Amino acid sequence: MGIFPQSIRWRIQLWYLLLLAVIIAALLAAFHRNQREIKYQVLDRELSNPITRLLPNLERRPESPPRGRRLPRLDLLEDFEDEPRPGLEGGGRRSPRGPDPLERRRVNLDELVEELAENGIFVIHWSRGGELRFASENSPEELRSFPDKVSREGDRVSKETVQGYREIIHASPNVGILVVGASVKPIETYLSKLETKLIGIGFLIIVGGFLVGWFLIGRSLKPIEVISGVAHRIAEGNLSERIKISGNGSELGQLSMVLNETFEKLETSFEHQVRFTADASHEMRTPIAVILSKSQFALSKERSPEKYQEALQTCVDSAQHMRTLTSGLLELSKVDSGEFHLRPELGNLEELTGEVVKLIEPLADDRGIKIKCNLRSMKAEFDPSKMRQALLNLLGNAVKYNREGGEIEVTLNKIGPEIFWSVQDTGLGIESVALESIFERFYQVDKARTRTGRNGTGLGLPITKAIVEAHGGTISVVSEVGKGTTFQVKLPAG
Amino acid sequence: MRVLVVEDQDDLREVVVETLREESFAVDESADGEEGLYKALNWDYDIVVLDVMMPVMNGWEVLDGLRKEKQTPVLMLTALDQVCDKVKGLNHGADDYLAKPFDLTELVARVRAVMRRKGGDHCPEVTVGKVTINTTAKTLRLGDKEVEVTAREFAMAELLIKHRDEVVTRDFLYDHLFDENDESMSNMLDVYVYKLRQKFGKSFIKTRRGQGYIVETS
């Protein structure tokens, strides 16, 4: 198994990791953002509270001016102008003047500012005109300049973060502009610590996810490794190997089942092939052995003309047997490779049967066998030369394996939609065990039974079967030991 | 020397039998395994040439049946030439193995080699007294001079020399020199003995009265 990037395991792993990383990053970023918002909200609340407390101390109290009359703003400004700036002067010192309401307000204000300063909150106050009224001691220098962009019209509260400080700006016609602020440094420190933590957690989750994923993907891919191992061993020639199936329901279980079936078929066809080759070579060797030894025998010393003649005759017979064998093998190889083509033409099966019977009659007469015909005129489409060969095989067998003086009955009839053709003999019959294999190549039932069966190739019936099946028909055999054998051919009519 | 050929293919059996007969063997034949086993168990053959693929009873079964009772040398003759077939044959107790198609000369040579091994002679040439026999060239010499003999005379000399220094009974000679088709009278043995004595001297074959014949080394 290659490692990277061809391996399915690695590809799945990488995609999975990428997805995991995106999800984790998004979740952690959202969490971080949320934390940030919460922190700022809390801070904003902390900053807003002092405003409500500060405002009453800063508001200018008009002596109930008549309705519609505008408030003389200058007075208020004047009031403050004389005072030392509370934030800058240490604020909150009582003035030598008597405790008038304005003085009380200032005392309150100083206390308040001091209290706020303890909590890290600073206060800066400008008049509407932009003059700095006071600023708490802890207020940063850079923020004491008047915030130009703040609107001076009407009551307005705004929040902003400037140069590391969060401030709430309250602008109103009465008070001017009040800024309450605090440094955001603690929050930012907290957030940056949180960020480090989150990155660590995210990294751990991804590493964990990688390991779990590696394990799970490995586990789910395990059957594939098993399958490929088995396939390898089969490719090396160990055809009896099978995949052990666990869990038929899974996709891989089903794949294994299909593969096992394929292997089964492969093995069977391979065995057939091996047996066929062995049988074919065996069948070819015997006539070669005869020709070789007979001619060597004849040539080993001077012999009579009769001996030479006999030797030559044996050689001719063997050569002819080989010819039959090779043409049979050639025909069957065409069947195997799908090149067994028919040339059908319209003809009468009765005429064909009659012809074949006439051909075989001299052979039958030699053994005193009578052929009885029971034929009906039957027009059909068929390949005449192939069909003649098939029928010749069947009748030839009926003569060869019949007893001396026996009978053969040939029937041609139509039963329902089928043409029915049968060749019945009165021979020794075939045992049921042998019947199962009778259409197999090179299978010869009779070897022992009749010495005349010597010329059988064991290919006649397989070829006959192939011809009948090529015509869309079927062939079957019924036999009773001691009574005879009947071959039945059924062909579709029309 | 008497040989049994078990082979179902008629032409092949015929030619093997004829060849072996021309090599002065007494040859019996069987066309199937069952008959072959029966003959092999009931006669003492010097070698059985056995085909494997046969009807009724195949070569392996014949070999197994034979080995249960006898140690007759067996040469397997078959169209199967895979190594595993050869190994199977030899493991079943066959003495040699020849795949079809074979050369007749090789067959004869192997038959002789197997018989020699069984007889304890590894060299085809054996000398007894003044008489030297070469089983491969099929010659008999008296001193340095080659003496012409008939096939039967040679076979008898071969048999007696193979069993030299042993008394060989007339029945044994009869069993190993004539095949099942010979209708020779028993006095044929006396004729061959007489002719061999004529050609190699009276002392070559000695008669043990009531027992048989003997060829002595000294």
Side-chain angles (χ1 to χ4, degrees):
Chain A
M1 205 172 177
I3 292 297
F4 191 81
Q6 281 87 0
S7 140
I8 294 181
R9 186 181 199 165
W10 269 107
R11 273 194 236 172
I12 296 177
Q13 187 76 40
L14 287 179
W15 279 111
Y16 159 74
L17 265 192
L18 194 71
L19 198 67
L20 187 68
V22 168
I23 291 171
I24 295 295
L27 280 177
L28 296 184
F31 179 73
H32 185 263
R33 197 185 159 83
N34 187 259
Q35 281 294 306
R36 183 188 192 89
E37 268 168 27
I38 288 170
K39 285 283 165 194
Y40 274 90
Q41 269 171 17
V42 170
L43 182 64
D44 287 350
R45 249 199 320 272
E46 272 173 29
L47 296 177
S48 301
N49 275 341
I51 288 183
T52 48
R53 286 166 68 196
L54 281 166
L55 279 180
N57 292 311
L58 296 175
E59 261 170 23
R60 188 182 149 224
R61 293 271 160 81
E63 306 128 18
S64 43
R67 269 180 193 273
R69 222 182 120 196
R70 276 192 77 136
L71 202 73
R73 267 174 285 155
L74 254 167
D75 292 358
L76 179 78
L77 291 173
E78 220 93 275
D79 280 346
F80 280 103
E81 205 60 45
D82 302 335
E83 302 304 323
R85 286 178 186 165
L88 295 171
E89 313 292 317
R93 295 250 160 78
R94 270 166 206 273
S95 122
R97 280 203 248 166
D100 63 318
L102 200 66
E103 193 69 13
R104 271 200 313 277
R105 271 161 65 187
R106 280 198 55 176
V107 173
N108 281 346
L109 189 67
D110 287 346
E111 281 170 2
L112 201 54
V113 167
E114 217 167 315
E115 185 193 320
L116 287 174
E118 277 168 24
N119 292 327
I121 297 169
F122 60 86
V123 180
I124 305 171
H125 184 221
W126 291 272
S127 70
R128 277 191 70 199
E131 281 171 90
L132 185 68
R133 284 284 170 79
F134 79 83
S136 28
E137 261 180 280
N138 59 343
S139 64
E141 204 70 46
E142 59 270 30
L143 293 182
R144 287 183 194 170
S145 53
F146 183 73
D148 293 322
K149 53 186 181 297
V150 177
S151 157
R152 296 173 201 195
E153 301 301 323
D155 273 338
R156 176 183 290 270
V157 177
S158 60
K159 303 165 185 174
E160 61 175 14
T161 308
V162 186
Q163 295 171 29
Y165 297 93
R166 180 71 173 173
E167 42 190 34
I168 292 190
I169 303 157
H170 183 268
S172 76
N174 275 350
V175 179
I177 289 166
L178 176 67
V179 168
V180 178
S183 167
V184 292
K185 212 174 166 193
I187 294 181
E188 288 301 331
T189 315
Y190 165 78
L191 284 176
S192 93
K193 269 187 195 162
L194 181 69
E195 198 177 295
T196 319
K197 258 190 229 167
L198 289 180
I199 288 174
I201 289 170
F203 183 73
L204 282 181
I205 291 177
I206 288 172
V207 168
F210 177 87
L211 293 178
V212 171
W214 185 256
F215 171 73
L216 286 179
I217 294 167
R219 229 175 89 127
S220 60
L221 289 180
K222 189 91 191 155
I224 294 185
E225 270 176 48
V226 173
I227 291 172
S228 93
V230 170
H232 262 293
R233 285 195 291 279
I234 287 180
E236 281 162 13
N238 192 357
L239 288 173
S240 53
E241 279 273 347
R242 292 292 176 273
I243 301 164
K244 282 190 194 105
I245 300 171
S246 52
N248 297 352
S250 76
E251 290 86 343
L252 287 175
Q254 283 169 5
L255 175 69
S256 306
M257 264 160 70
V258 173
L259 283 175
N260 275 350
E261 278 168 29
T262 313
F263 294 153
E264 194 76 49
K265 282 181 190 158
L266 197 70
E267 191 184 6
T268 314
S269 87
F270 187 75
E271 274 169 7
H272 270 277
Q273 191 62 40
V274 168
R275 209 176 64 208
F276 179 72
T277 315
D279 286 347
S281 82
H282 174 261
E283 291 300 317
M284 293 298 276
R285 273 160 197 274
T286 307
I288 293 173
V290 171
I291 292 173
L292 189 66
S293 45
K294 199 76 188 180
S295 47
Q296 278 178 341
F297 173 76
L299 293 172
S300 62
K301 64 180 185 189
E302 197 140 333
R303 299 187 185 275
S304 65
E306 292 79 32
K307 276 277 175 198
Y308 284 127
Q309 214 158 22
E310 190 211 308
L312 280 175
Q313 190 56 53
T314 309
C315 289
V316 168
D317 289 347
S318 292
Q320 262 165 357
H321 180 73
M322 279 171 72
R323 185 175 62 183
T324 320
L325 202 62
T326 42
S327 57
L329 283 173
L330 201 67
E331 206 135 2
L332 283 174
S333 79
K334 276 185 193 165
V335 173
D336 289 343
S337 63
E339 284 168 30
F340 191 72
H341 299 306
L342 295 180
R343 286 189 202 138
E345 29 184 276
L346 196 66
N348 195 333
L349 281 172
E350 188 200 8
E351 281 171 25
L352 182 90
T353 315
E355 257 176 58
V356 175
V357 168
K358 270 205 186 103
L359 265 173
I360 217 87
E361 251 168 0
L363 277 178
D365 284 346
D366 281 351
R367 303 193 67 209
I369 296 166
K370 275 186 195 138
I371 302 181
K372 252 177 36 184
C373 286
N374 198 349
L375 312 176
R376 256 179 68 180
S377 178
M378 199 77 64
K379 287 228 162 106
E381 279 238 332
F382 57 89
D383 182 325
S385 77
K386 293 257 159 55
M387 214 36 124
R388 182 179 292 116
Q389 189 187 353
L391 197 52
L392 208 55
N393 272 337
L394 291 181
L395 274 167
N397 282 347
V399 172
K400 215 189 289 183
Y401 304 122
N402 216 326
R403 62 180 160 82
E404 297 270 333
E407 259 182 34
I408 297 172
E409 194 177 335
V410 185
T411 311
L412 177 62
N413 210 337
K414 194 172 180 182
I415 300 174
E418 281 177 329
I419 295 169
F420 179 83
W421 213 353
S422 80
V423 178
Q424 188 174 359
D425 68 39
T426 53
L428 288 164
I430 305 158
E431 278 163 29
S432 54
V433 186
L435 276 182
E436 289 168 17
S437 321
I438 199 160
F439 292 108
E440 278 176 25
R441 293 162 192 196
F442 294 118
Y443 189 85
Q444 280 176 291
V445 191
D446 77 297
K447 266 190 169 176
R449 297 222 175 102
T450 108
R451 289 286 123 211
T452 51
R454 179 179 80 179
N455 287 325
T457 56
L459 296 178
L461 282 176
I463 292 173
T464 306
K465 186 174 183 243
I467 293 172
V468 170
E469 283 174 355
H471 281 86
T474 53
I475 185 165
S476 58
V477 58
V478 202
S479 186
E480 202 176 326
V481 176
K483 286 202 170 173
T485 307
T486 309
F487 281 91
Q488 297 174 334
V489 174
K490 285 175 187 162
L491 294 171
Chain B
M1 298 288 163
R2 193 154 167 190
V3 183
L4 173 65
V5 176
V6 190
E7 162 69 66
D8 65 316
Q9 221 286 336
D10 296 346
D11 288 325
L12 200 61
R13 188 180 63 252
E14 261 167 42
V15 73
V16 169
V17 167
E18 271 185 85
T19 306
L20 289 173
R21 279 195 182 134
E22 284 186 0
E23 292 289 324
S24 64
F25 291 107
V27 187
D28 290 355
E29 52 188 300
S30 287
D32 66 66
E34 208 170 21
E35 191 193 76
L37 181 61
Y38 174 78
K39 284 185 179 173
L41 288 175
N42 286 285
W43 278 274
D44 285 325
Y45 290 102
D46 292 293
I47 187 170
V48 177
V49 176
L50 184 61
D51 184 30
V52 173
M53 304 267 269
M54 281 187 302
V56 187
M57 191 186 243
N58 69 34
W60 308 125
E61 292 165 329
V62 174
L63 188 58
D64 286 341
L66 180 64
R67 281 286 170 266
K68 275 181 198 151
E69 295 190 23
K70 284 189 163 186
Q71 292 306 312
T72 313
V74 172
L75 184 133
M76 300 295 280
L77 203 60
T78 170
L80 306 169
D81 72 341
Q82 300 282 314
V83 174
C84 59
D85 294 318
K86 295 183 186 175
V87 170
K88 186 179 174 187
L90 296 174
N91 283 344
H92 267 64
D95 295 83
D96 204 355
Y97 198 103
L98 195 56
K100 290 179 193 173
F102 50 83
D103 274 291
L104 276 180
T105 46
E106 187 182 353
L107 173 71
V108 172
R110 280 181 186 268
V111 165
R112 285 197 182 284
V114 170
M115 287 202 301
R116 266 206 310 279
R117 281 204 295 275
K118 279 288 163 184
D121 289 327
H122 294 276
C123 176
E125 207 166 82
V126 179
T127 306
V128 179
K130 285 181 181 173
V131 184
T132 305
I133 189 166
N134 187 321
T135 51
T136 308
K138 286 205 293 172
T139 55
L140 274 166
R141 291 199 310 269
L142 183 61
D144 290 337
K145 216 179 91 190
E146 197 179 313
V147 180
E148 242 179 73
V149 288
T150 66
R152 279 277 158 80
E153 286 163 14
F154 180 84
M156 184 175 233
E158 188 185 5
L159 199 60
L160 286 168
I161 291 172
K162 188 183 171 194
H163 295 277
R164 58 191 177 273
D165 297 328
E166 289 173 30
V167 177
V168 179
T169 64
R170 286 175 67 85
D171 281 349
F172 183 86
L173 281 174
Y174 202 79
D175 276 350
H176 288 262
L177 291 178
F178 302 104
D179 63 45
E180 57 198 353
N181 300 320
D182 281 322
E183 284 177 22
S184 316
M185 307 296 287
S186 62
N187 67 359
M188 287 299 285
L189 281 179
D190 300 317
V191 176
Y192 293 130
V193 170
Y194 170 76
K195 285 190 172 166
L196 283 175
R197 278 177 179 162
Q198 245 188 352
K199 290 174 181 173
F200 297 96
K202 262 199 142 184
S203 59
F204 177 47
I205 301 169
K206 290 174 182 130
T207 307
R208 292 281 165 89
R209 247 172 237 298
Q211 294 180 48
Y213 301 100
I214 187 169
V215 168
E216 286 172 328
T217 34
S218 54

